[in-house]
């Protein structure tokens, strides 16, 4: 699968480490690269827009997101969305 923000693969590696992902609270299968998520949220706050899930358009509750370090698709509930 790909990040809905940058369209790069969810499994890309930077500096030999797996990318961190943010799981959105609207659906456990909706995930975004952490870096993309942070830029997305910052931009929307700057222009005073609501941050909506890029997949289902549900408003993102920042207090309910989860960051996954060292993502392993074989052990994740989000496997179907990003494999």
């Amino acid at each position: 699968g790909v990040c809905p923000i940058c369209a790069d693969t969810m499994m890309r590696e930077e500096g030999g480490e797996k990318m961190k992902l943010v799981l959105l609270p609207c659906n456990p299968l909706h995930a975004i690269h952490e870096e993309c998520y942070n830029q997305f949220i910052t931009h929307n706050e700057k222009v005073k827009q609501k941050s909506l899930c890029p997949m289902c358009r549900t408003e993102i509750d920042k207090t309910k997101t989860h960051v996954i370090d060292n993502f392993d698709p074989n052990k994740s509930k989000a496997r179907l969305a990003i494999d």
Side-chain angles (χ1 to χ4, degrees), residues 22-27 30 32 37 40-41 44-45 49-54 56-67:
V22 175
L23 294 183
L24 302 178
C26 53
N27 185 314
H30 294 179
I32 301 173
Y37 170 82
F40 177 70
I41 295 295
N44 287 339
E45 288 175 350
Q49 290 182 353
K50 292 180 181 179
S51 293
L52 305 177
C53 172
C56 70
R57 310 299 293 165
T58 299
E59 187 171 353
I60 296 172
D61 181 346
K62 297 183 299 183
T63 66
K64 296 182 180 178
T65 60
H66 300 301
V67 176

Side-chain angles (χ1 to χ4, degrees), residues 9-74:
T9 179
M10 291 296 219
M11 296 303 294
R12 76 178 182 193
E13 295 184 9
E14 281 187 3
E17 294 184 20
K18 300 280 187 202
M19 296 296 295
K20 291 182 181 179
L21 303 181
V22 175
L23 294 183
L24 302 178
C26 53
N27 185 314
L29 301 179
H30 294 179
I32 301 173
H33 292 130
E34 182 183 41
E35 182 179 324
C36 296
Y37 170 82
N38 290 335
Q39 291 177 10
F40 177 70
I41 295 295
T42 300
H43 170 76
N44 287 339
E45 288 175 350
K46 184 177 179 180
V47 297
K48 299 183 181 353
Q49 290 182 353
K50 292 180 181 179
S51 293
L52 305 177
C53 172
M55 291 161 274
C56 70
R57 310 299 293 165
T58 299
E59 187 171 353
I60 296 172
D61 181 346
K62 297 183 299 183
T63 66
K64 296 182 180 178
T65 60
H66 300 301
V67 176
I68 298 177
D69 291 320
N70 300 317
F71 178 75
D72 181 347
N74 296 315

